[in-house]
Structures are given as structure tokens and as C-alpha cells.
Amino acid sequence: MNTNTDIIDQLIGHFLGHLHPPVPRVPQGPLLHWKTLGSHGFGAVVIGLKAKDLQSSRLRRALVDLWRGRKGLLVLKDLPGLTPDELLEFTSSFGSVEEALAASRSRAQVTHPGRAAVPGVVMRLGNSRDPTTNELNASFTLSAQLPTFSSGPEACRFNPSTKTPIWHTDGTYRLRPPTGSMLREPTLLGNFGWSSSQGRLPTLIRHVCQFDSVSRQPNWHTDATFRERPPTGSMLYAVQVPPVGGDTCFADASKAFTTLPKDTQRRLEGLEALCSQAHHDALHNVKKPGTYVLMNAEQRAKMPLMAVPLVLTHPETKRKSLYGANSSVFLIQPLNSPAPLTELLNRAEGAEAFEDPSVDRELRSLLPHATGPDFVVRWHWNVGDLVIWDNRCTMHCATGFDHETFVREMWRTTFHDMSWQPPVRKVPRE
């Protein structure tokens, strides 16, 4: 007769074995219930776990494997009450946890009185304020607000530009049109997707995250490409969320790349993006003055210029992905090009936040395709949700909310696979 641990082992093995090379046996820990997020196998959501379950090392290994098998996107739903220490310890299952924030982000560090078993830093994102001083204690960036899941009149109004939604009367082509029809409404499963016979999200919801070339919104990106060692991935944990808005969208950058024309793929593989944190901060200050303190010439001289490829091969899956989209990019150039001209660099990193036209031409022009409905998952947060993504094969964007009325507080940790050597290079400033 099978014991409970035998059954758990068999079920988790059944769920995970077809996704990735053989996973470790999981004879202990809670049953793993998960569902696919995207229509093409991108992302998974796990339900039914408790915070204490994350203490199981074998369960953690199974979750890491599920994350890899589902193309670098994993959601653990409804884990309220995680402490910073617990979040850091769980993050360490995925890689080496970052232990410090940049000086300009220090106010956003989450302090915790306990002594963490795993060294690391938790960063606060959102518009929360210190209860004593009432000063902003989070990293906050304005983002475009997207349409919600509302079924109100504006959500259904016909748009002549997109020609959606498709309003129609059934069966007018028939000799005897039908009198009426019955439709079973899709069921909203928590806040993580729609269950329907096609397994796809409704068109109105699936298109709202797509990058718009005119407004340049939403701000789709890969994290921290300006660093000497870009992060492998990150976790984002919902502490406080607004009732409407504040969703996060994720794109499968690997699938987006493989569906481009072959000649475009070949061209992109010969290009790199030049990244500067000083440009990143200056650009955000242009959008919203005071977001970051502008670096002076001496500070900029100490910051590296980093060249990252526009196409990155994942070290484990060997899949190629679009890479490098970040606000720090100010120039696209052929691989291994020399340092940029001083005049260009000064304009890019100064108050003007100048961006070479090559960024629009070679990188930003790809985003409407890469963030199209076939590649994107939009996550609507509840308190206690935890999302883990792989920066090497995904892109993501924040979406706006009514920040004058509501508070959004998210905790983020960042991790590195130290066995991976990122294919980036440091570019001299002169």
C-alpha cells in the first residue's frame, strides 16, 4: 500500500518530470498543485501552499525545477505573512542572494530585527511611507495605468482602430438564423487566469499589456542590465496592494525571439546594447523629476559602461531570447564596438538623457511584437502572492494605479546563479 509520502512523490514527479530533465525525488513535503499561466506553456501558478511549507528543501528543489520547466516564470499564490527572513531564505534556493542596494536606493531597504539565516537585502517597491516620518520609503516609478478586468461599457466599446471587440449577431449566414444562444461564462480562478474550453484569456484582457510605440508604454524591461553582473532573477512579494491596477505583466522573450523572421534573428545576434546607470536615472528624472538624484561627473566616471547582447542564450535550456531592454540603454551598436564618443556619453548621462536613434530602430521597434498577446501573462496581485522570474529569458513591466488614493507595497529580492558567467563586457569610458 502506498504511503502519503509515496503518493506525494509520484504526483510531483508526474507533474514535473515532463518539463525538465529528471527532477530530484520529493518524498516529503506538501502536495504541489499547479496550473499553466500562458497559452503556450509560459509560466505556472502554484496554489495551496503555506509559508511553513517553504521550509522543505525538497519542495524548494521541485519549485526551482518547475520554474525552469515553465520558461522562467513561477507564481506562488496566497502566502500572506512572509517575513523578510523567510523571503531571503526561500530566495537562496534559486541562487546567491544580493546583499546590498545601490546608495540611491538605500531608503527602500526593508529592515528586519531578526538575524537572517541567509544574508541578503529586501528592497521595497511602491508608494508606501515611513509611519514615523511620513517620507517615501520605497522605490517608486510612475507607470501607465492599463484597462482593468472590468466588464463595464468602456471595456466593450468597439474600437475602430483595432477593430475589436468583434460585435456580431450569430448565424446570419444560415438560411434560418438562430433565435438565441446559451453561453457558459468562463470562471475566474482566483486572480490568476480564466478557465475556458480554449484555455486562453479573453482578447480584451490579453492585449492590454502590449507595448505602444507612440506612448512608449508600458515600460517593458529586463532588470539591471547596467551592472557588471546582471542578476539572474528576482522575486516580488505583495505586502499591500490597491483594489484596482498595479498589475505586473511578463513576456516570454524566448518565444518572442524564435517567432521573428530568420534574417531579423541573424541581424540581432550581431548587435549589443550599451547600458549606463547614470542614463537610466537621468531618463527617469526626465519623466518624473526627483525620481533619482542625478549623478555628477565624478560619480558617473566611477560607474561602468556595460555592453550586453540583444540575444542571450540561456545557459541551461540553450534557448535564445531577446535581451537588454532597459532604461539604461542609450546606444545599439555592432558587437565589440569601441567606446562611444565623449560628447554622446555626456548627453546620454546628463540632464538631457539623450538616446541614440538606434535604440528605437533596433530594440524598441521589437517590443510590440515581443509583448503581443501570444507571449504575455498579466498578473493581478493579491496580498501574499509571490512571483519569481528569470531575467535571462523574460521581460516584465509594472502597470499604474491610483497612487494618490491607494498604497502599493511590494518586497523584492534578487539572486544570481554564480555558475553562470553573463556574456557582458565592460566598456572603457575613453
PDB file of all heavy atoms in Angstrom, residues 44-46 54 63 74-79 82 86-87 90-91 94 234-238 379 381-389 410-413:
ATOM      1  N   ALA A  44       3.814  29.205 -14.535  1.00  0.00           N
ATOM      2  CA  ALA A  44       2.960  28.309 -13.754  1.00  0.00           C
ATOM      3  C   ALA A  44       2.572  29.005 -12.466  1.00  0.00           C
ATOM      4  O   ALA A  44       3.332  29.817 -11.930  1.00  0.00           O
ATOM      5  CB  ALA A  44       3.684  27.001 -13.455  1.00  0.00           C
ATOM      6  N   VAL A  45       1.392  28.687 -11.968  1.00  0.00           N
ATOM      7  CA  VAL A  45       0.941  29.199 -10.677  1.00  0.00           C
ATOM      8  C   VAL A  45       0.709  28.013  -9.751  1.00  0.00           C
ATOM      9  O   VAL A  45       0.096  27.014 -10.133  1.00  0.00           O
ATOM     10  CB  VAL A  45      -0.331  30.063 -10.808  1.00  0.00           C
ATOM     11  CG1 VAL A  45      -1.474  29.299 -11.432  1.00  0.00           C
ATOM     12  CG2 VAL A  45      -0.744  30.611  -9.445  1.00  0.00           C
ATOM     13  N   VAL A  46       1.252  28.101  -8.547  1.00  0.00           N
ATOM     14  CA  VAL A  46       1.123  27.057  -7.534  1.00  0.00           C
ATOM     15  C   VAL A  46       0.151  27.539  -6.475  1.00  0.00           C
ATOM     16  O   VAL A  46       0.266  28.668  -5.984  1.00  0.00           O
ATOM     17  CB  VAL A  46       2.489  26.730  -6.896  1.00  0.00           C
ATOM     18  CG1 VAL A  46       2.341  25.687  -5.794  1.00  0.00           C
ATOM     19  CG2 VAL A  46       3.462  26.229  -7.959  1.00  0.00           C
ATOM     20  N   LEU A  54       7.491  26.230   2.738  1.00  0.00           N
ATOM     21  CA  LEU A  54       8.705  26.643   2.042  1.00  0.00           C
ATOM     22  C   LEU A  54       9.967  26.252   2.793  1.00  0.00           C
ATOM     23  O   LEU A  54      11.067  26.395   2.276  1.00  0.00           O
ATOM     24  CB  LEU A  54       8.692  28.166   1.817  1.00  0.00           C
ATOM     25  CG  LEU A  54       7.513  28.716   1.008  1.00  0.00           C
ATOM     26  CD1 LEU A  54       7.698  30.203   0.776  1.00  0.00           C
ATOM     27  CD2 LEU A  54       7.349  27.977  -0.310  1.00  0.00           C
ATOM     28  N   LEU A  63      10.158  23.261  -6.773  1.00  0.00           N
ATOM     29  CA  LEU A  63       9.694  24.559  -7.268  1.00  0.00           C
ATOM     30  C   LEU A  63      10.708  25.184  -8.219  1.00  0.00           C
ATOM     31  O   LEU A  63      10.334  25.795  -9.233  1.00  0.00           O
ATOM     32  CB  LEU A  63       9.415  25.502  -6.092  1.00  0.00           C
ATOM     33  CG  LEU A  63       8.199  25.146  -5.225  1.00  0.00           C
ATOM     34  CD1 LEU A  63       8.143  26.029  -3.981  1.00  0.00           C
ATOM     35  CD2 LEU A  63       6.910  25.261  -6.020  1.00  0.00           C
ATOM     36  N   LEU A  74       7.232  31.750 -12.325  1.00  0.00           N
ATOM     37  CA  LEU A  74       6.518  30.934 -11.343  1.00  0.00           C
ATOM     38  C   LEU A  74       5.818  31.846 -10.347  1.00  0.00           C
ATOM     39  O   LEU A  74       6.412  32.806  -9.839  1.00  0.00           O
ATOM     40  CB  LEU A  74       7.500  30.015 -10.608  1.00  0.00           C
ATOM     41  CG  LEU A  74       6.911  29.074  -9.552  1.00  0.00           C
ATOM     42  CD1 LEU A  74       5.948  28.073 -10.193  1.00  0.00           C
ATOM     43  CD2 LEU A  74       8.027  28.337  -8.809  1.00  0.00           C
ATOM     44  N   VAL A  75       4.559  31.549 -10.064  1.00  0.00           N
ATOM     45  CA  VAL A  75       3.767  32.291  -9.089  1.00  0.00           C
ATOM     46  C   VAL A  75       3.371  31.353  -7.961  1.00  0.00           C
ATOM     47  O   VAL A  75       2.853  30.260  -8.208  1.00  0.00           O
ATOM     48  CB  VAL A  75       2.491  32.883  -9.727  1.00  0.00           C
ATOM     49  CG1 VAL A  75       1.679  33.642  -8.682  1.00  0.00           C
ATOM     50  CG2 VAL A  75       2.837  33.792 -10.898  1.00  0.00           C
ATOM     51  N   LEU A  76       3.627  31.755  -6.727  1.00  0.00           N
ATOM     52  CA  LEU A  76       3.116  31.058  -5.551  1.00  0.00           C
ATOM     53  C   LEU A  76       2.000  31.930  -4.999  1.00  0.00           C
ATOM     54  O   LEU A  76       2.241  33.057  -4.554  1.00  0.00           O
ATOM     55  CB  LEU A  76       4.202  30.854  -4.503  1.00  0.00           C
ATOM     56  CG  LEU A  76       5.504  30.199  -4.985  1.00  0.00           C
ATOM     57  CD1 LEU A  76       6.428  29.925  -3.802  1.00  0.00           C
ATOM     58  CD2 LEU A  76       5.226  28.911  -5.738  1.00  0.00           C
ATOM     59  N   LYS A  77       0.800  31.423  -5.049  1.00  0.00           N
ATOM     60  CA  LYS A  77      -0.372  32.238  -4.726  1.00  0.00           C
ATOM     61  C   LYS A  77      -0.757  32.097  -3.260  1.00  0.00           C
ATOM     62  O   LYS A  77      -0.772  31.007  -2.714  1.00  0.00           O
ATOM     63  CB  LYS A  77      -1.544  31.828  -5.621  1.00  0.00           C
ATOM     64  CG  LYS A  77      -2.764  32.700  -5.437  1.00  0.00           C
ATOM     65  CD  LYS A  77      -3.779  32.469  -6.533  1.00  0.00           C
ATOM     66  CE  LYS A  77      -5.056  33.250  -6.234  1.00  0.00           C
ATOM     67  NZ  LYS A  77      -4.773  34.689  -6.093  1.00  0.00           N
ATOM     68  N   ASP A  78      -1.049  33.255  -2.644  1.00  0.00           N
ATOM     69  CA  ASP A  78      -1.651  33.301  -1.314  1.00  0.00           C
ATOM     70  C   ASP A  78      -0.732  32.752  -0.228  1.00  0.00           C
ATOM     71  O   ASP A  78      -1.001  31.721   0.380  1.00  0.00           O
ATOM     72  CB  ASP A  78      -2.983  32.537  -1.321  1.00  0.00           C
ATOM     73  CG  ASP A  78      -3.831  32.858  -0.094  1.00  0.00           C
ATOM     74  OD1 ASP A  78      -3.599  33.906   0.528  1.00  0.00           O
ATOM     75  OD2 ASP A  78      -4.721  32.045   0.233  1.00  0.00           O
ATOM     76  N   LEU A  79       0.359  33.494   0.013  1.00  0.00           N
ATOM     77  CA  LEU A  79       1.287  33.174   1.106  1.00  0.00           C
ATOM     78  C   LEU A  79       1.428  34.398   2.019  1.00  0.00           C
ATOM     79  O   LEU A  79       2.512  34.963   2.152  1.00  0.00           O
ATOM     80  CB  LEU A  79       2.663  32.790   0.550  1.00  0.00           C
ATOM     81  CG  LEU A  79       2.803  31.453  -0.159  1.00  0.00           C
ATOM     82  CD1 LEU A  79       4.155  31.377  -0.845  1.00  0.00           C
ATOM     83  CD2 LEU A  79       2.632  30.305   0.818  1.00  0.00           C
ATOM     84  N   LEU A  82       4.646  36.364   5.097  1.00  0.00           N
ATOM     85  CA  LEU A  82       6.066  36.028   4.996  1.00  0.00           C
ATOM     86  C   LEU A  82       6.900  37.139   5.625  1.00  0.00           C
ATOM     87  O   LEU A  82       6.649  38.321   5.398  1.00  0.00           O
ATOM     88  CB  LEU A  82       6.488  35.853   3.539  1.00  0.00           C
ATOM     89  CG  LEU A  82       6.215  34.528   2.830  1.00  0.00           C
ATOM     90  CD1 LEU A  82       6.805  34.570   1.420  1.00  0.00           C
ATOM     91  CD2 LEU A  82       6.786  33.350   3.594  1.00  0.00           C
ATOM     92  N   GLU A  86      12.221  34.978   6.013  1.00  0.00           N
ATOM     93  CA  GLU A  86      11.684  33.823   5.284  1.00  0.00           C
ATOM     94  C   GLU A  86      11.810  34.020   3.778  1.00  0.00           C
ATOM     95  O   GLU A  86      12.106  33.080   3.034  1.00  0.00           O
ATOM     96  CB  GLU A  86      10.227  33.603   5.672  1.00  0.00           C
ATOM     97  CG  GLU A  86      10.039  33.078   7.082  1.00  0.00           C
ATOM     98  CD  GLU A  86       8.587  33.062   7.523  1.00  0.00           C
ATOM     99  OE1 GLU A  86       7.804  33.932   7.053  1.00  0.00           O
ATOM    100  OE2 GLU A  86       8.229  32.201   8.352  1.00  0.00           O
ATOM    101  N   LEU A  87      11.590  35.260   3.326  1.00  0.00           N
ATOM    102  CA  LEU A  87      11.717  35.541   1.896  1.00  0.00           C
ATOM    103  C   LEU A  87      13.162  35.373   1.438  1.00  0.00           C
ATOM    104  O   LEU A  87      13.428  34.805   0.372  1.00  0.00           O
ATOM    105  CB  LEU A  87      11.228  36.960   1.608  1.00  0.00           C
ATOM    106  CG  LEU A  87      11.216  37.397   0.146  1.00  0.00           C
ATOM    107  CD1 LEU A  87      10.339  36.485  -0.693  1.00  0.00           C
ATOM    108  CD2 LEU A  87      10.739  38.847   0.023  1.00  0.00           C
ATOM    109  N   PHE A  90      14.044  31.624   1.279  1.00  0.00           N
ATOM    110  CA  PHE A  90      13.470  30.972   0.099  1.00  0.00           C
ATOM    111  C   PHE A  90      14.194  31.409  -1.168  1.00  0.00           C
ATOM    112  O   PHE A  90      14.449  30.603  -2.070  1.00  0.00           O
ATOM    113  CB  PHE A  90      11.977  31.287  -0.006  1.00  0.00           C
ATOM    114  CG  PHE A  90      11.307  30.631  -1.178  1.00  0.00           C
ATOM    115  CD1 PHE A  90      11.294  29.252  -1.313  1.00  0.00           C
ATOM    116  CD2 PHE A  90      10.698  31.395  -2.161  1.00  0.00           C
ATOM    117  CE1 PHE A  90      10.679  28.642  -2.398  1.00  0.00           C
ATOM    118  CE2 PHE A  90      10.081  30.806  -3.250  1.00  0.00           C
ATOM    119  CZ  PHE A  90      10.067  29.417  -3.368  1.00  0.00           C
ATOM    120  N   THR A  91      14.546  32.685  -1.259  1.00  0.00           N
ATOM    121  CA  THR A  91      15.268  33.187  -2.427  1.00  0.00           C
ATOM    122  C   THR A  91      16.580  32.437  -2.630  1.00  0.00           C
ATOM    123  O   THR A  91      16.990  32.169  -3.769  1.00  0.00           O
ATOM    124  CB  THR A  91      15.554  34.689  -2.279  1.00  0.00           C
ATOM    125  OG1 THR A  91      14.335  35.395  -2.046  1.00  0.00           O
ATOM    126  CG2 THR A  91      16.211  35.252  -3.539  1.00  0.00           C
ATOM    127  N   PHE A  94      17.135  29.639  -5.151  1.00  0.00           N
ATOM    128  CA  PHE A  94      17.249  29.915  -6.578  1.00  0.00           C
ATOM    129  C   PHE A  94      18.624  30.456  -6.965  1.00  0.00           C
ATOM    130  O   PHE A  94      18.958  30.505  -8.147  1.00  0.00           O
ATOM    131  CB  PHE A  94      16.167  30.912  -7.001  1.00  0.00           C
ATOM    132  CG  PHE A  94      14.787  30.327  -7.023  1.00  0.00           C
ATOM    133  CD1 PHE A  94      14.097  30.109  -5.840  1.00  0.00           C
ATOM    134  CD2 PHE A  94      14.181  29.975  -8.213  1.00  0.00           C
ATOM    135  CE1 PHE A  94      12.818  29.556  -5.845  1.00  0.00           C
ATOM    136  CE2 PHE A  94      12.906  29.430  -8.238  1.00  0.00           C
ATOM    137  CZ  PHE A  94      12.224  29.208  -7.046  1.00  0.00           C
ATOM    138  N   SER A 234      14.665  37.518 -10.049  1.00  0.00           N
ATOM    139  CA  SER A 234      14.147  38.272  -8.909  1.00  0.00           C
ATOM    140  C   SER A 234      12.874  37.625  -8.406  1.00  0.00           C
ATOM    141  O   SER A 234      12.206  36.861  -9.115  1.00  0.00           O
ATOM    142  CB  SER A 234      13.854  39.727  -9.288  1.00  0.00           C
ATOM    143  OG  SER A 234      15.025  40.424  -9.644  1.00  0.00           O
ATOM    144  N   MET A 235      12.533  37.973  -7.164  1.00  0.00           N
ATOM    145  CA  MET A 235      11.250  37.617  -6.568  1.00  0.00           C
ATOM    146  C   MET A 235      10.540  38.902  -6.169  1.00  0.00           C
ATOM    147  O   MET A 235      11.166  39.852  -5.718  1.00  0.00           O
ATOM    148  CB  MET A 235      11.435  36.749  -5.324  1.00  0.00           C
ATOM    149  CG  MET A 235      11.995  35.378  -5.594  1.00  0.00           C
ATOM    150  SD  MET A 235      11.867  34.335  -4.113  1.00  0.00           S
ATOM    151  CE  MET A 235      12.721  32.866  -4.723  1.00  0.00           C
ATOM    152  N   LEU A 236       9.221  38.906  -6.306  1.00  0.00           N
ATOM    153  CA  LEU A 236       8.410  40.047  -5.915  1.00  0.00           C
ATOM    154  C   LEU A 236       7.255  39.529  -5.064  1.00  0.00           C
ATOM    155  O   LEU A 236       6.520  38.619  -5.487  1.00  0.00           O
ATOM    156  CB  LEU A 236       7.885  40.787  -7.143  1.00  0.00           C
ATOM    157  CG  LEU A 236       7.341  42.201  -6.929  1.00  0.00           C
ATOM    158  CD1 LEU A 236       8.423  43.105  -6.349  1.00  0.00           C
ATOM    159  CD2 LEU A 236       6.821  42.775  -8.246  1.00  0.00           C
ATOM    160  N   TYR A 237       7.105  40.110  -3.877  1.00  0.00           N
ATOM    161  CA  TYR A 237       6.129  39.638  -2.894  1.00  0.00           C
ATOM    162  C   TYR A 237       5.177  40.772  -2.539  1.00  0.00           C
ATOM    163  O   TYR A 237       5.611  41.887  -2.235  1.00  0.00           O
ATOM    164  CB  TYR A 237       6.859  39.146  -1.648  1.00  0.00           C
ATOM    165  CG  TYR A 237       5.969  38.653  -0.532  1.00  0.00           C
ATOM    166  CD1 TYR A 237       5.166  37.525  -0.699  1.00  0.00           C
ATOM    167  CD2 TYR A 237       5.916  39.318   0.683  1.00  0.00           C
ATOM    168  CE1 TYR A 237       4.351  37.073   0.318  1.00  0.00           C
ATOM    169  CE2 TYR A 237       5.112  38.873   1.719  1.00  0.00           C
ATOM    170  CZ  TYR A 237       4.325  37.747   1.524  1.00  0.00           C
ATOM    171  OH  TYR A 237       3.512  37.293   2.541  1.00  0.00           O
ATOM    172  N   ALA A 238       3.880  40.493  -2.577  1.00  0.00           N
ATOM    173  CA  ALA A 238       2.860  41.521  -2.358  1.00  0.00           C
ATOM    174  C   ALA A 238       2.536  41.655  -0.880  1.00  0.00           C
ATOM    175  O   ALA A 238       2.001  40.727  -0.262  1.00  0.00           O
ATOM    176  CB  ALA A 238       1.599  41.178  -3.144  1.00  0.00           C
ATOM    177  N   TRP A 379      -0.388  39.525 -14.409  1.00  0.00           N
ATOM    178  CA  TRP A 379      -0.705  39.049 -13.066  1.00  0.00           C
ATOM    179  C   TRP A 379      -1.361  40.148 -12.251  1.00  0.00           C
ATOM    180  O   TRP A 379      -0.814  41.226 -12.069  1.00  0.00           O
ATOM    181  CB  TRP A 379       0.557  38.558 -12.353  1.00  0.00           C
ATOM    182  CG  TRP A 379       0.213  37.962 -11.019  1.00  0.00           C
ATOM    183  CD1 TRP A 379       0.382  38.539  -9.797  1.00  0.00           C
ATOM    184  CD2 TRP A 379      -0.403  36.705 -10.795  1.00  0.00           C
ATOM    185  NE1 TRP A 379      -0.095  37.707  -8.823  1.00  0.00           N
ATOM    186  CE2 TRP A 379      -0.588  36.572  -9.407  1.00  0.00           C
ATOM    187  CE3 TRP A 379      -0.832  35.662 -11.631  1.00  0.00           C
ATOM    188  CZ2 TRP A 379      -1.164  35.434  -8.828  1.00  0.00           C
ATOM    189  CZ3 TRP A 379      -1.410  34.548 -11.057  1.00  0.00           C
ATOM    190  CH2 TRP A 379      -1.569  34.436  -9.679  1.00  0.00           C
ATOM    191  N   TRP A 381      -2.438  41.169  -8.601  1.00  0.00           N
ATOM    192  CA  TRP A 381      -1.911  40.786  -7.298  1.00  0.00           C
ATOM    193  C   TRP A 381      -2.978  40.716  -6.214  1.00  0.00           C
ATOM    194  O   TRP A 381      -3.878  41.542  -6.160  1.00  0.00           O
ATOM    195  CB  TRP A 381      -0.850  41.795  -6.842  1.00  0.00           C
ATOM    196  CG  TRP A 381       0.372  41.833  -7.679  1.00  0.00           C
ATOM    197  CD1 TRP A 381       0.613  42.644  -8.765  1.00  0.00           C
ATOM    198  CD2 TRP A 381       1.546  41.035  -7.523  1.00  0.00           C
ATOM    199  NE1 TRP A 381       1.860  42.395  -9.283  1.00  0.00           N
ATOM    200  CE2 TRP A 381       2.462  41.411  -8.534  1.00  0.00           C
ATOM    201  CE3 TRP A 381       1.930  40.045  -6.612  1.00  0.00           C
ATOM    202  CZ2 TRP A 381       3.713  40.837  -8.665  1.00  0.00           C
ATOM    203  CZ3 TRP A 381       3.171  39.461  -6.739  1.00  0.00           C
ATOM    204  CH2 TRP A 381       4.058  39.861  -7.762  1.00  0.00           C
ATOM    205  N   ASN A 382      -2.802  39.731  -5.320  1.00  0.00           N
ATOM    206  CA  ASN A 382      -3.446  39.700  -4.022  1.00  0.00           C
ATOM    207  C   ASN A 382      -2.350  39.734  -2.967  1.00  0.00           C
ATOM    208  O   ASN A 382      -1.215  39.296  -3.227  1.00  0.00           O
ATOM    209  CB  ASN A 382      -4.265  38.423  -3.835  1.00  0.00           C
ATOM    210  CG  ASN A 382      -5.625  38.508  -4.488  1.00  0.00           C
ATOM    211  OD1 ASN A 382      -6.175  39.588  -4.671  1.00  0.00           O
ATOM    212  ND2 ASN A 382      -6.171  37.365  -4.854  1.00  0.00           N
ATOM    213  N   VAL A 383      -2.665  40.218  -1.786  1.00  0.00           N
ATOM    214  CA  VAL A 383      -1.696  40.187  -0.689  1.00  0.00           C
ATOM    215  C   VAL A 383      -1.241  38.744  -0.464  1.00  0.00           C
ATOM    216  O   VAL A 383      -2.057  37.826  -0.401  1.00  0.00           O
ATOM    217  CB  VAL A 383      -2.317  40.766   0.599  1.00  0.00           C
ATOM    218  CG1 VAL A 383      -1.406  40.524   1.796  1.00  0.00           C
ATOM    219  CG2 VAL A 383      -2.582  42.257   0.430  1.00  0.00           C
ATOM    220  N   GLY A 384       0.079  38.563  -0.375  1.00  0.00           N
ATOM    221  CA  GLY A 384       0.629  37.235  -0.155  1.00  0.00           C
ATOM    222  C   GLY A 384       1.072  36.514  -1.405  1.00  0.00           C
ATOM    223  O   GLY A 384       1.663  35.435  -1.318  1.00  0.00           O
ATOM    224  N   ASP A 385       0.809  37.076  -2.589  1.00  0.00           N
ATOM    225  CA  ASP A 385       1.297  36.450  -3.828  1.00  0.00           C
ATOM    226  C   ASP A 385       2.796  36.675  -3.969  1.00  0.00           C
ATOM    227  O   ASP A 385       3.310  37.753  -3.654  1.00  0.00           O
ATOM    228  CB  ASP A 385       0.586  37.033  -5.049  1.00  0.00           C
ATOM    229  CG  ASP A 385      -0.883  36.646  -5.126  1.00  0.00           C
ATOM    230  OD1 ASP A 385      -1.299  35.759  -4.365  1.00  0.00           O
ATOM    231  OD2 ASP A 385      -1.610  37.244  -5.944  1.00  0.00           O
ATOM    232  N   LEU A 386       3.483  35.667  -4.478  1.00  0.00           N
ATOM    233  CA  LEU A 386       4.935  35.732  -4.688  1.00  0.00           C
ATOM    234  C   LEU A 386       5.243  35.284  -6.110  1.00  0.00           C
ATOM    235  O   LEU A 386       4.825  34.192  -6.520  1.00  0.00           O
ATOM    236  CB  LEU A 386       5.650  34.833  -3.675  1.00  0.00           C
ATOM    237  CG  LEU A 386       7.166  34.675  -3.807  1.00  0.00           C
ATOM    238  CD1 LEU A 386       7.877  36.008  -3.599  1.00  0.00           C
ATOM    239  CD2 LEU A 386       7.691  33.642  -2.814  1.00  0.00           C
ATOM    240  N   VAL A 387       5.951  36.112  -6.867  1.00  0.00           N
ATOM    241  CA  VAL A 387       6.303  35.795  -8.254  1.00  0.00           C
ATOM    242  C   VAL A 387       7.817  35.735  -8.387  1.00  0.00           C
ATOM    243  O   VAL A 387       8.535  36.597  -7.869  1.00  0.00           O
ATOM    244  CB  VAL A 387       5.724  36.835  -9.239  1.00  0.00           C
ATOM    245  CG1 VAL A 387       6.150  36.510 -10.670  1.00  0.00           C
ATOM    246  CG2 VAL A 387       4.202  36.867  -9.144  1.00  0.00           C
ATOM    247  N   ILE A 388       8.301  34.707  -9.093  1.00  0.00           N
ATOM    248  CA  ILE A 388       9.736  34.536  -9.360  1.00  0.00           C
ATOM    249  C   ILE A 388       9.924  34.514 -10.872  1.00  0.00           C
ATOM    250  O   ILE A 388       9.219  33.781 -11.575  1.00  0.00           O
ATOM    251  CB  ILE A 388      10.267  33.212  -8.767  1.00  0.00           C
ATOM    252  CG1 ILE A 388       9.887  33.082  -7.286  1.00  0.00           C
ATOM    253  CG2 ILE A 388      11.769  33.116  -8.936  1.00  0.00           C
ATOM    254  CD1 ILE A 388       8.827  32.039  -7.016  1.00  0.00           C
ATOM    255  N   TRP A 389      10.861  35.334 -11.373  1.00  0.00           N
ATOM    256  CA  TRP A 389      11.107  35.326 -12.814  1.00  0.00           C
ATOM    257  C   TRP A 389      12.600  35.244 -13.115  1.00  0.00           C
ATOM    258  O   TRP A 389      13.439  35.632 -12.307  1.00  0.00           O
ATOM    259  CB  TRP A 389      10.489  36.548 -13.498  1.00  0.00           C
ATOM    260  CG  TRP A 389      11.072  37.871 -13.143  1.00  0.00           C
ATOM    261  CD1 TRP A 389      12.124  38.507 -13.759  1.00  0.00           C
ATOM    262  CD2 TRP A 389      10.650  38.759 -12.095  1.00  0.00           C
ATOM    263  NE1 TRP A 389      12.373  39.724 -13.170  1.00  0.00           N
ATOM    264  CE2 TRP A 389      11.488  39.910 -12.143  1.00  0.00           C
ATOM    265  CE3 TRP A 389       9.644  38.702 -11.131  1.00  0.00           C
ATOM    266  CZ2 TRP A 389      11.340  40.972 -11.265  1.00  0.00           C
ATOM    267  CZ3 TRP A 389       9.503  39.762 -10.256  1.00  0.00           C
ATOM    268  CH2 TRP A 389      10.343  40.879 -10.331  1.00  0.00           C
ATOM    269  N   MET A 410       5.471  46.375  -2.236  1.00  0.00           N
ATOM    270  CA  MET A 410       5.990  45.085  -2.699  1.00  0.00           C
ATOM    271  C   MET A 410       7.415  44.914  -2.177  1.00  0.00           C
ATOM    272  O   MET A 410       8.171  45.884  -2.106  1.00  0.00           O
ATOM    273  CB  MET A 410       6.002  45.026  -4.237  1.00  0.00           C
ATOM    274  CG  MET A 410       4.731  45.520  -4.912  1.00  0.00           C
ATOM    275  SD  MET A 410       3.295  44.479  -4.646  1.00  0.00           S
ATOM    276  CE  MET A 410       3.704  43.099  -5.720  1.00  0.00           C
ATOM    277  N   TRP A 411       7.780  43.691  -1.851  1.00  0.00           N
ATOM    278  CA  TRP A 411       9.149  43.393  -1.443  1.00  0.00           C
ATOM    279  C   TRP A 411       9.844  42.622  -2.556  1.00  0.00           C
ATOM    280  O   TRP A 411       9.274  41.654  -3.095  1.00  0.00           O
ATOM    281  CB  TRP A 411       9.164  42.553  -0.170  1.00  0.00           C
ATOM    282  CG  TRP A 411       8.694  43.269   1.050  1.00  0.00           C
ATOM    283  CD1 TRP A 411       8.365  44.590   1.170  1.00  0.00           C
ATOM    284  CD2 TRP A 411       8.494  42.691   2.349  1.00  0.00           C
ATOM    285  NE1 TRP A 411       7.973  44.874   2.450  1.00  0.00           N
ATOM    286  CE2 TRP A 411       8.047  43.727   3.208  1.00  0.00           C
ATOM    287  CE3 TRP A 411       8.660  41.411   2.873  1.00  0.00           C
ATOM    288  CZ2 TRP A 411       7.756  43.499   4.547  1.00  0.00           C
ATOM    289  CZ3 TRP A 411       8.370  41.189   4.209  1.00  0.00           C
ATOM    290  CH2 TRP A 411       7.928  42.231   5.033  1.00  0.00           C
ATOM    291  N   ARG A 412      11.054  43.037  -2.872  1.00  0.00           N
ATOM    292  CA  ARG A 412      11.794  42.361  -3.941  1.00  0.00           C
ATOM    293  C   ARG A 412      13.140  41.867  -3.443  1.00  0.00           C
ATOM    294  O   ARG A 412      13.857  42.580  -2.729  1.00  0.00           O
ATOM    295  CB  ARG A 412      12.013  43.302  -5.138  1.00  0.00           C
ATOM    296  CG  ARG A 412      12.577  42.559  -6.370  1.00  0.00           C
ATOM    297  CD  ARG A 412      12.778  43.489  -7.531  1.00  0.00           C
ATOM    298  NE  ARG A 412      13.984  44.302  -7.377  1.00  0.00           N
ATOM    299  CZ  ARG A 412      14.361  45.244  -8.245  1.00  0.00           C
ATOM    300  NH1 ARG A 412      13.609  45.490  -9.307  1.00  0.00           N
ATOM    301  NH2 ARG A 412      15.454  45.932  -8.041  1.00  0.00           N
ATOM    302  N   THR A 413      13.462  40.657  -3.822  1.00  0.00           N
ATOM    303  CA  THR A 413      14.805  40.120  -3.633  1.00  0.00           C
ATOM    304  C   THR A 413      15.375  39.776  -4.998  1.00  0.00           C
ATOM    305  O   THR A 413      14.633  39.527  -5.950  1.00  0.00           O
ATOM    306  CB  THR A 413      14.802  38.864  -2.739  1.00  0.00           C
ATOM    307  OG1 THR A 413      13.917  37.878  -3.320  1.00  0.00           O
ATOM    308  CG2 THR A 413      14.356  39.190  -1.331  1.00  0.00           C
TER     309      THR A 413
END
